[in-house]
Amino acid sequence: MDLGESGLGMKLKKDVQQGTLALMVLKTLDVLGPLHGYGIARRIEQISGEVLFVNQGTLYPVLLRLEQEGAVASDWGPSENNRRARFYRLTRGGHKLLEAEKRNWEQTAAIIARFFDLKAEDLS
Amino acid sequence: MRFLIRWFARIRNFMIGHRGDERLREELEFYLAMRTEENVQAGLSLEEARRQARLKLGGIEGIRESYHGEEGLPFLENLLGDVRHSTRILRKSAGFTTAAVVTLALGIGSSSAIFCLMDALWLHPMHVSHPGQIVRVFATTQQFQDGLFSYPGYRTIAHRSTVFQGAEGGLVAIGGRGSLMPRPDGTSQLLMTNVVSSNFFTVLGVRPKLGRVFTVQDASQLRARPGVVLGDSCWKRDFAGDPQIVGRSITLLRGKDTHVQFDVWGVLPPTFREIDPNNDRCLWMPAESWAAFRAEKDLTSREFHWLNVLGRLGPHATAAQANLQVAAIADALARTDPASEKGRSARVITDFRYRMNLAGTTGLVLFGIVGGVVLLAVVNVAHLLLARALDRAPEISLRLSLGATRWAIARQLLIENLLLALASLVAGLGLAAVLAAVLPRLLVLEPTMLETFAAPFTLHMDARVFLCASALAVVILILLALVPLSQAARAELLPGLQASAATRTGARSPLLRRAAVWLQIGISFALLVSTSALVRSFVNTRTRNIGLTRNQVLELFTQEPEAPMREAVLANLRALPGAVSAAYAIRAPLMPSESGISTPVILPSHPELHDPVPIKFDAVSPDYLNVVGTRILRGRGFTAADDDKGPPAIIVSQSMARKYWPDVNPIGQVLRLPDLAGASGEGTTINARIIGVAEDVPINRIGEVPESYMYLPFHWMSYGEIAFVVETRQNAMSVAQDAREALIRVHPLLDPMMVTSLPELIRSASGNFQMMAELVSALGLIGLMLTVVGLYGFLAFRVTQRRREIGIRMALGATRKATTWLVFRDTARIVAVGVCVGLGLAMGAARLEASLLFGVRALDALSGVAAIGVLVVVVVATAWLPARRAATVDPIQALRSE
């Protein structure tokens, strides 16, 4: 179950990793609404089919950074089992950022996909 | 935009010192609780569930670091931390810090002050707009490269040249003259007058402080109605700084009793000092007014060369182009107008180069010596740092082993040095400010006079000085930065922790450090040799025979009176209390204002010289040579019989006799001169017979190469000016006022323009020697002090390093004496190599200094032995303490501390 040590999270460089993680966090909040940090991490791990491991040492700095950028806002609130937890929600700026990042990502993915599909006869 | 918002938040966090540690802690607690719950649900025991959760979370410190890294500005925070840490360390080792700061401050302070001085004397550009475009134009002949122009000559070049920009061809002319302003009591006062072309101020771009300056358009008006612009110090001194002066008129004398009114157009700012940096002229008069006022022929004569010429280069012209063009114009003029221009040409150099030439060797030597002192300071501090590096090796190893990166250590050490350099810069600038205030009072640049025309010489610490000092500090910093960088790179983990620094690396004394000590001793040696030579040379100017008496002789300069009045003045002067004798001449030796009067001479004994030779001369009363103490070596001096009725007689200098009659008796040789009194009309000549040979006398400067010189009886010559000399028993200046009144009693207009004394003139003529002797001694002393500090540090450190070795030696039976000797032997070897290095440096310096010395060689046995003697005494004294420390090493202690 735990591929964290060898998974994507450890292999890529920090900023790339943070970049992808930020996108995942935004999308998760977009779909699921306000969530606490632990919830975000678990959801991402679940959605990736437990292939990814979200390191807490990267998650919280990413959340802080998104908040500093105004993409998310946070507040204390009771969790599902009545503990005090900090809930993060997407702001309007966050929505816009997500849209932009998504387009960006799709574009990159499409380009990369085209390269992978490349065959010698396509160029001749 | 997002980027900006984020940085704003980070900067804000940094500024208010916000740390979200609490928030992170709660987040992590929540995470652990959730994880544990999940694990319990998966069937683990509570204990195991908690353990697994912690494992999953990972290192909390790491998370906190990366979280905090996003939160504020970690780089700046680390930097501040480093600064705090460095300050603490520097404060803890106060001895080291003081030594380093004092050493560097001495280097920076003395060099800044010397730079200030060189700047004020030579390097400061003129206060005009775009000074970089200003060039100087000189007339040249075979003998002189820095000649002056006649007014028509100047106009021709100005009209034909195309490389300059500005009104009237972009060239300006300026000639130094004098005007007399009558006083209410019937006497008059000399005002130094700069006669300038009417485009002078517009081309140079000088703005007046009050009123306005004249331009080319005012030329015809200025001829009809003369006008002047006042110099700042004259305005303050003679007109009490009257702000209403503009528009009023001042009176000047033409001849003995014609008063001429001049309108005051404006007053110049104090910063504008033009030609001589030390000379602030009183009046600035357009050439047109001067011609109308004094002599029309000053502007029409082609033979009268009296004008300095400056130009402003056009936007795309270079000094080299200007030089070619001006030389071509002057050469063409010499062909078309051979009567007055034959053999004359012209050259152009930039104003900067002109001033560099003025600074000359003196500037270069000063610069080199200051550089040596700065180098000494830097080497010293490098020493101190290296010694400290070993001291701190354990600390650095410890920090490395605790996980500090090498970069972090290097950064912290760099910041320590940066703080040192900053503190030194501040202290050094303080020192420089003090020196700049004191220096002008120590320097002799002008003779003391009854009335002084020169504005007081002051030094200014301006932005350029600050910039230079800061640049120096930065260079020092970079040099010093190499030490910590190599230190951090080389630091090892284990050895540093294992052994204490004191006993580490006992045998190893890096070549670099030895070389540094050699260099220090070498520089010190060379400085001492230079000091010795320059001080002896200065003493020589005071004691050697220079062909002038060392007795008290008062000198009064005034207008030339008729013969009966001259005799009346002499009688009055001889009657003064304390007067021994009195005489007069048209010129006194060592006058700072001009370079001597010359006349063309034909030598019938040398028919191979086709053209007359210009030879400098003085016309003197019979007693003159006795009064000023110039001895007659062969033949006889003048007597009263050598008047206009006797056969024409002449006395020549020893150099002239040697040059033209090396093998034959010069007495009785004939010289053919123009009739200078002009009694028998222009173009007539006199055949004069040599009656005596006098010893050489310096004409302008003590230490100059003697040239041919002649003395004629006074009545041959009408020059318009005269110098009365009076030998006195007491201090000559104490009878100055009485002597002045003695002249005025004969005629009010004989009120002297200048009163000074021969000792004063000698003092100021040897001022350069004195300046160099004073400055170089001071710098030599500073250098010696720095060397002592550096050598002491090195030796003390060596002893500490070798404690263990010394302990073993003593345990094996070495006596204290032998141990002391060990240190001295070590020192002697270092000094021997250092002196060899110093000899090399001194030989290099000697070639440079040769022209600055009077009566000594730059590097002779006496200077060398004296320098070695001083060094040995100082070194023995320095080595004494470390040697004693070595002798008192307790072998048991030394070995146990291992």
Side-chain angles (χ1 to χ4, degrees):
Chain A
M1 151 199 153
D2 189 355
L3 289 172
E5 296 308 309
S6 56
L8 194 58
M10 295 311 278
K11 265 196 178 158
L12 293 182
K13 289 215 172 196
K14 196 179 165 204
D15 33 347
V16 177
Q17 179 195 12
Q18 277 196 350
T20 17
L21 188 58
L23 185 58
M24 291 174 187
V25 168
L26 289 175
K27 187 62 196 171
T28 309
L29 290 177
D30 183 38
V31 174
L32 298 173
L35 261 182
H36 45 66
Y38 177 73
I40 298 172
R42 288 306 286 144
R43 290 299 172 207
I44 292 176
E45 287 171 2
Q46 284 168 4
I47 293 165
S48 73
E50 305 286 344
V51 174
L52 283 178
F53 166 69
V54 178
N55 187 344
Q56 300 300 304
T58 37
L59 177 65
Y60 290 115
V62 164
L63 282 171
L64 178 67
R65 191 174 146 185
L66 286 172
E67 192 170 346
Q68 281 173 346
E69 288 175 355
V72 303
S74 72
D75 264 317
W76 292 110
S79 74
E80 49 276 352
N81 51 7
N82 259 336
R83 283 176 192 277
R84 216 165 91 85
R86 182 169 279 272
F87 281 84
Y88 296 87
R89 63 169 192 280
L90 216 54
T91 62
R92 201 167 337 144
H95 281 291
K96 267 193 236 159
L97 181 63
L98 177 60
E99 280 310 305
E101 292 283 306
K102 192 177 152 211
R103 266 200 307 280
N104 221 342
W105 184 259
E106 281 166 356
Q107 217 169 5
T108 315
I111 292 169
I112 298 293
R114 217 176 292 167
F115 270 89
F116 282 140
D117 287 344
L118 200 64
K119 293 185 192 72
E121 55 265 37
D122 290 348
L123 292 175
S124 59
Chain B
M1 192 56 205
R2 281 192 293 128
F3 178 80
L4 278 183
I5 294 174
R6 178 165 160 244
W7 277 94
F8 178 73
R10 292 177 76 161
I11 291 170
R12 197 193 55 213
N13 283 341
F14 171 71
M15 300 291 276
I16 62 176
H18 172 83
R19 284 191 76 124
D21 282 357
E22 189 58 20
R23 170 173 159 177
L24 182 68
R25 198 178 55 77
E26 280 185 288
E27 287 271 29
L28 293 180
E29 260 170 26
F30 180 72
Y31 172 85
L32 282 176
M34 293 300 282
R35 230 352 142 177
T36 311
E37 218 164 276
E38 202 172 297
N39 286 348
V40 167
Q41 280 171 6
L44 292 174
S45 71
L46 186 61
E47 196 72 3
E48 184 60 17
R50 221 170 253 160
R51 203 180 74 85
Q52 286 289 342
R54 280 193 189 283
L55 279 178
K56 197 95 181 199
L57 181 59
I60 293 186
E61 259 322 298
I63 297 176
R64 188 170 293 156
E65 276 301 304
S66 53
Y67 182 76
H68 189 61
E70 281 297 324
E71 198 176 30
L73 299 170
F75 174 75
L76 258 183
E77 241 161 70
N78 288 341
L79 205 67
L80 276 185
D82 281 344
V83 169
R84 271 195 296 272
H85 183 192
S86 304
T87 321
R88 257 202 310 276
I89 285 182
L90 288 177
R91 215 182 302 146
K92 208 182 85 191
S93 44
F96 160 79
T97 310
T98 317
V101 168
V102 166
T103 305
L104 284 180
L106 275 177
I108 294 174
S110 57
S111 53
S112 304
I114 296 289
F115 176 77
C116 243
L117 176 72
M118 292 176 33
D119 187 55
L121 283 180
W122 306 298
L123 304 182
H124 206 83
M126 289 194 291
H127 267 274
V128 300
S129 64
H130 302 100
Q133 295 173 337
I134 303 298
V135 294
R136 295 195 176 239
V137 187
F138 291 108
T140 61
T141 63
Q142 274 195 319
Q143 285 89 11
F144 305 107
Q145 291 298 300
D146 299 336
L148 305 178
F149 287 91
S150 66
Y151 191 76
Y154 148 69
R155 297 288 288 188
T156 309
I157 293 178
H159 283 152
R160 292 192 195 166
S161 61
T162 56
V163 288
F164 304 103
Q165 60 173 334
E168 297 277 299
L171 282 178
V172 299
I174 173 168
R177 304 298 287 268
S179 319
L180 291 172
M181 183 166 73
R183 290 202 186 95
D185 61 359
T187 65
S188 61
Q189 179 187 1
L190 178 75
L191 295 181
M192 302 304 229
T193 306
N194 263 341
V195 180
V196 296
S197 52
S198 52
N199 62 349
F200 186 83
F201 295 113
T202 29
V203 169
L204 292 188
V206 178
R207 288 165 194 282
K209 182 166 79 174
L210 291 177
R212 69 187 201 91
V213 288
F214 39 80
T215 66
V216 177
Q217 284 76 43
D218 304 316
S220 55
Q221 181 197 347
L222 285 163
R223 187 177 283 274
R225 196 181 157 83
V228 289
V229 171
L230 299 181
D232 178 73
S233 57
C234 166
W235 173 65
K236 285 189 182 129
R237 185 185 62 231
D238 298 319
F239 301 98
D242 179 5
Q244 310 297 321
I245 192 87
V246 174
R248 299 234 289 270
S249 63
I250 62 171
T251 308
L252 297 178
L253 272 179
R254 169 163 48 205
K256 288 210 165 44
D257 38 21
T258 315
H259 288 197
V260 180
Q261 300 291 317
F262 280 78
D263 295 332
V264 176
W265 284 51
V267 179
L268 292 181
T271 44
F272 184 61
R273 288 248 164 135
E274 50 83 36
I275 311 290
D276 311 315
N278 299 319
N279 211 344
D280 181 16
R281 297 268 172 181
C282 306
L283 300 182
W284 296 77
M285 194 181 286
E288 289 76 14
S289 295
W290 177 261
F293 165 53
R294 285 284 278 272
E296 199 65 46
K297 77 169 195 334
D298 282 357
L299 299 198
T300 53
S301 162
R302 286 199 163 275
E303 281 81 20
F304 186 36
H305 305 288
W306 62 293
L307 293 166
N308 279 297
V309 175
L310 289 83
R312 179 179 289 284
L313 283 180
H316 304 297
T318 65
Q321 289 164 355
N323 186 41
L324 282 176
Q325 192 185 58
V326 167
I329 296 169
D331 292 344
L333 204 61
R335 281 191 298 276
T336 55
D337 206 351
S340 61
E341 306 292 331
K342 186 161 178 273
R344 295 178 66 83
S345 182
R347 69 186 184 110
V348 177
I349 58 171
T350 61
D351 185 53
F352 178 73
R353 241 190 77 196
Y354 167 76
R355 283 180 284 110
M356 288 309 281
N357 291 347
L358 278 187
T361 320
T362 313
L364 209 60
V365 167
L366 268 185
F367 198 75
I369 285 175
V370 166
V373 170
V374 170
L375 196 61
L376 272 179
V378 172
V379 170
N380 251 5
V381 174
H383 260 320
L384 285 171
L385 285 176
L386 281 168
R388 240 166 84 84
L390 283 185
D391 251 1
R392 291 181 63 181
E395 178 207 327
I396 289 172
S397 296
L398 188 66
R399 285 172 63 190
L400 270 179
S401 66
L402 286 180
T405 59
R406 278 173 200 277
W407 159 238
I409 288 176
R411 188 182 56 201
Q412 193 265 321
L413 293 173
L414 265 177
I415 285 173
E416 249 178 76
N417 289 356
L418 180 65
L419 287 178
L420 274 183
L422 270 179
S424 314
L425 180 64
V426 171
L429 283 175
L431 180 67
V434 173
L435 288 177
V438 174
L439 265 180
R441 273 177 247 166
L442 295 178
L443 302 178
V444 183
L445 296 164
E446 299 279 328
T448 308
M449 297 179 197
L450 198 60
E451 287 175 71
T452 178
F453 299 106
F457 177 71
T458 51
L459 293 183
H460 303 283
M461 302 260 304
D462 57 6
R464 289 147 38 99
V465 176
F466 280 104
L467 220 67
C468 275
S470 309
L472 190 64
V474 167
V475 170
I476 289 173
L477 175 74
I478 289 171
L479 284 177
L480 295 184
L482 298 177
V483 178
L485 287 180
S486 70
Q487 197 181 340
R490 272 206 320 248
E492 298 153 54
L493 259 181
L494 278 180
L497 285 173
Q498 273 172 350
S500 76
T503 48
R504 241 182 94 226
T505 63
R508 197 160 55 111
S509 187
L511 182 70
L512 191 68
R513 302 204 52 194
R514 284 176 166 270
V517 183
W518 294 335
L519 188 63
Q520 278 194 310
I521 293 182
I523 293 175
S524 250
F525 177 81
L527 273 177
L528 284 172
V529 169
S530 296
T531 306
S532 152
L534 287 163
V535 169
R536 279 162 64 208
S537 149
F538 166 59
V539 170
N540 279 345
T541 64
R542 294 289 165 94
T543 54
R544 280 269 176 107
N545 173 34
I546 53 169
L548 292 170
T549 179
R550 299 283 173 177
N551 295 341
Q552 292 291 326
V553 176
L554 187 71
E555 304 195 351
L556 304 105
F557 299 84
T558 184
Q559 304 189 61
E560 183 192 333
E562 305 298 318
M565 272 201 231
R566 291 204 294 266
E567 295 313 312
V569 168
L570 276 191
N572 280 356
L573 288 176
R574 285 189 184 119
L576 285 176
V580 179
S581 55
Y584 52 85
I586 58 169
R587 168 181 200 281
L590 300 178
M591 278 299 298
S593 60
E594 29 83 4
S595 58
I597 311 157
S598 69
T599 183
V601 177
I602 296 166
L603 297 153
S605 58
H606 289 71
E608 74 278 7
L609 299 170
H610 297 293
D611 296 319
V613 191
I615 295 179
K616 290 185 180 172
F617 71 97
D618 200 355
V620 300
S621 74
D623 271 351
Y624 174 80
L625 290 180
N626 282 335
V627 174
V628 298
T630 306
R631 287 172 304 167
I632 300 294
L633 302 177
R634 299 177 79 166
R636 65 172 178 86
F638 291 125
T639 64
D642 294 309
D643 59 10
D644 39 3
K645 288 163 209 95
I650 205 162
I651 294 175
V652 297
S653 71
Q654 191 177 13
S655 293
M656 181 165 174
R658 253 193 227 133
K659 180 169 181 187
Y660 293 108
W661 305 280
D663 306 317
V664 296
N665 188 354
I667 309 289
Q669 299 287 343
V670 172
L671 300 178
R672 190 169 303 141
L673 298 85
D675 185 359
L676 297 163
S680 26
E682 294 231 345
T684 58
T685 56
I686 301 178
N687 285 329
R689 205 167 284 278
I690 297 175
I691 58 163
V693 177
E695 64 185 321
D696 285 321
V697 172
I699 301 171
N700 294 103
R701 200 173 65 82
I702 291 176
E704 69 191 15
V705 180
E707 57 181 302
S708 297
Y709 206 66
M710 310 181 295
Y711 298 93
L712 323 177
F714 191 87
H715 62 81
W716 276 25
M717 178 65 205
S718 176
Y719 183 67
E721 283 171 22
I722 193 168
F724 285 102
V725 292
V726 191
E727 188 183 346
T728 58
R729 276 187 213 98
Q730 68 275 52
N731 184 331
M733 291 308 279
S734 69
V735 298
Q737 200 56 44
D738 292 339
R740 183 176 165 211
E741 277 153 23
L743 263 68
I744 296 173
R745 274 208 305 282
V746 175
H747 193 287
L749 275 180
L750 289 181
D751 185 12
M753 309 166 195
M754 186 169 106
V755 181
T756 183
S757 70
L758 187 56
E760 276 303 324
L761 285 173
I762 293 177
R763 197 171 76 92
S764 85
S766 55
N768 212 8
F769 293 101
Q770 184 176 358
M771 176 176 92
M772 287 304 274
E774 283 172 355
L775 291 181
V776 176
S777 323
L779 291 172
L781 199 67
I782 291 176
L784 197 62
M785 266 157 49
L786 291 179
T787 305
V788 165
V789 171
L791 186 68
Y792 175 79
F794 180 77
L795 290 176
F797 182 69
R798 286 270 302 161
V799 169
T800 318
Q801 263 191 329
R802 295 174 70 180
R803 237 165 82 91
R804 188 159 173 244
E805 180 206 332
I806 293 170
I808 292 174
R809 277 169 187 266
M810 289 181 92
L812 291 178
T815 59
R816 300 204 149 177
K817 213 167 141 191
T819 314
T820 313
W821 190 235
L822 191 73
V823 175
F824 277 116
R825 211 169 46 209
D826 200 24
T827 315
R829 231 176 290 151
I830 292 169
V831 172
V833 180
V835 167
C836 290
V837 173
L839 268 174
L841 290 175
M843 275 191 237
R847 292 173 58 183
L848 206 62
E849 281 168 11
S851 65
L852 301 179
L853 297 176
F854 180 64
V856 278
R857 283 197 307 146
L859 178 61
D860 59 3
L862 183 58
S863 293
V865 168
I868 290 177
V870 171
L871 266 184
V872 165
V873 169
V874 166
V875 163
V876 167
T878 309
W880 186 250
L881 227 79
R884 268 194 42 153
R885 265 217 349 242
T888 51
V889 164
D890 182 346
I892 298 173
Q893 282 279 322
L895 292 178
R896 194 187 279 159
S897 73
E898 198 53 1

